[in-house]
């Protein structure tokens, strides 16, 4: 069937989020450039004003066109459930049900001296339409990263730009809460907590948005062996409407 298999199990637990992922990857499946993967996932988010649960799986086929460029086609089916506080007007009417979606990913990476120098990715996803399911939307996201070493490789300058938008075919209820955009936490807009940066309800609670933009500039310097510090500047926003900047 192939020459290499890998099984990964990951978990994450915090006072807000609980998640578990089990994935199986088959590389060199019939062809050195072909990889197959299966993933099962369970995720729960328990915020002050809403609770979200997502449970399901995904199958993906990847093709490595060149050492730098790869593409992936995926199909995912999950059960989505959400409970929201009555004060969150923009989220009232959200549906529980099945999410059925296909997606395509394009990924380009460039190495310099064995280290990643540049990475660009594009993700397009559609739910509903000709597929069964409760939710119907189209989403697209782009990500560009650049890394440059200085001072004999001891210091790394890094930059990142990310844009994304999701557009429901009908009303807002066509987008499950976990597919809305939030910023904050340890990766982007680190001055805010997880899920804190987004459009707000009249009560002041974050409700997620449909367009996103972030830009990050970072300098990483070594302190001692295996310990590094980072000086960074970040800018970003999440908008209520799709295709908005």
């Amino acid at each position: 069937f192939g020459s290499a298999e890998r099984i990964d199990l990951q978990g994450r637990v915090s006072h807000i989020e609980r998640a578990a992922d089990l994935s199986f990857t088959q590389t060199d499946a019939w062809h050195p450039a072909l990889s197959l993967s299966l993933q099962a996932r369970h995720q729960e988010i328990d915020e002050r004003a809403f609770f979200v649960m997502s449970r399901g799986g995904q199958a993906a086929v990847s093709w490595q066109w060149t050492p730098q460029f790869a593409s992936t086609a995926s199909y995912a089916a999950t059960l989505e459930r959400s409970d929201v506080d009555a004060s969150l007007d923009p989220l009232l009417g959200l549906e529980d049900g099945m999410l059925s979606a296909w997606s395509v990913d394009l990924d380009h990476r460039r190495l310099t001296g064995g280290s990643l120098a540049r990475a660009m990715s594009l993700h397009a996803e559609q739910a509903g339409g000709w597929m069964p399911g409760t939710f119907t939307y189209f989403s697209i996201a782009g990500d560009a990263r650049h890394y440059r070493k200085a001072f004999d490789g001891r210091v790394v300058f890094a930059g990142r730009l990310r844009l994304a938008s999701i557009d429901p075919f009908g009303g807002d209820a066509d987008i499950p809460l976990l597919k809305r955009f939030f910023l904050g936490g340890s990766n982007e807009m680190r001055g805010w907590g997880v899920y804190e940066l987004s459009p707000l309800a009249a009560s002041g609670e974050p409700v997620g948005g449909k367009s996103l933009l972030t830009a990050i500039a970072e300098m990483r310097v070594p302190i001692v062996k295996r310990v590094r510090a980072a000086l960074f500047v970040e800018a970003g926003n999440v908008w209520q409407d799709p295709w908005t900047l």
Side-chain angles (χ1 to χ4, degrees):
F1 185 65
S3 61
E5 299 88 17
R6 187 177 77 244
I7 296 177
D8 296 305
L9 177 62
Q10 297 181 343
R12 184 169 62 254
V13 178
S14 71
H15 70 286
I16 293 177
E17 186 175 10
R18 295 171 292 278
D21 292 89
L22 175 64
S23 62
F24 169 80
T25 303
Q26 172 72 61
T27 59
D28 297 344
W30 301 296
H31 191 281
L34 181 64
S35 297
L36 307 176
S37 65
L38 297 172
Q39 181 188 48
R41 189 177 200 211
H42 177 87
Q43 183 179 12
E44 295 180 2
I45 298 175
D46 194 355
E47 259 283 0
R48 289 173 300 180
F50 60 80
F51 171 82
V52 183
M53 187 275 290
S54 177
R55 179 185 299 157
Q58 175 176 286
V61 179
S62 300
W63 187 268
Q64 191 76 40
W65 298 93
T66 70
Q68 295 80 30
F69 179 70
S71 60
T72 301
S74 308
Y75 173 76
T78 61
L79 294 175
E80 305 287 331
R81 184 170 70 85
S82 59
D83 295 314
V84 301
D85 189 272
S87 64
L88 303 187
D89 295 337
L91 296 182
L92 295 180
L94 279 183
E95 297 182 284
D96 297 339
M98 177 182 177
L99 171 62
S100 176
W102 63 264
S103 63
V104 174
D105 291 89
L106 304 178
D107 185 80
H108 181 272
R109 295 171 180 265
R110 179 182 175 185
L111 302 179
T112 300
S115 299
L116 182 63
R118 186 180 302 162
M120 293 182 291
S121 63
L122 180 68
H123 173 83
E125 178 178 324
Q126 179 180 324
W130 53 271
M131 294 175 295
T134 308
F135 306 98
T136 58
Y137 62 81
F138 176 75
S139 177
I140 191 165
D143 191 307
R145 307 184 188 209
H146 184 76
Y147 305 89
R148 188 178 185 89
K149 292 185 177 181
F151 304 104
D152 297 325
R154 296 191 304 272
V155 177
V156 176
F157 293 94
R160 183 186 184 190
L161 179 67
R162 186 163 77 101
L163 302 94
S165 186
I166 185 168
D167 193 356
F169 291 167
D172 285 356
D174 282 334
I175 304 176
L177 189 53
L178 275 179
K179 291 295 182 177
R180 290 170 173 257
F181 299 127
F182 297 84
L183 287 174
S186 60
N187 296 319
E188 292 178 303
M189 304 307 294
R190 284 162 272 193
W192 281 264
V194 180
Y195 304 110
E196 282 189 355
L197 184 54
S198 88
L200 304 177
S203 62
E205 296 289 345
V207 294
K210 304 184 190 73
S211 295
L212 173 148
L213 169 66
T214 59
I216 302 172
E218 187 170 296
M219 181 177 69
R220 304 168 185 172
V221 297
I223 303 299
V224 296
K225 187 177 181 180
R226 297 186 179 181
V227 177
R228 303 176 70 88
L231 177 66
F232 59 87
V233 176
E234 298 177 312
N237 196 30
V238 181
W239 288 268
Q240 175 62 37
D241 298 322
W243 318 113
T244 303
L245 290 178

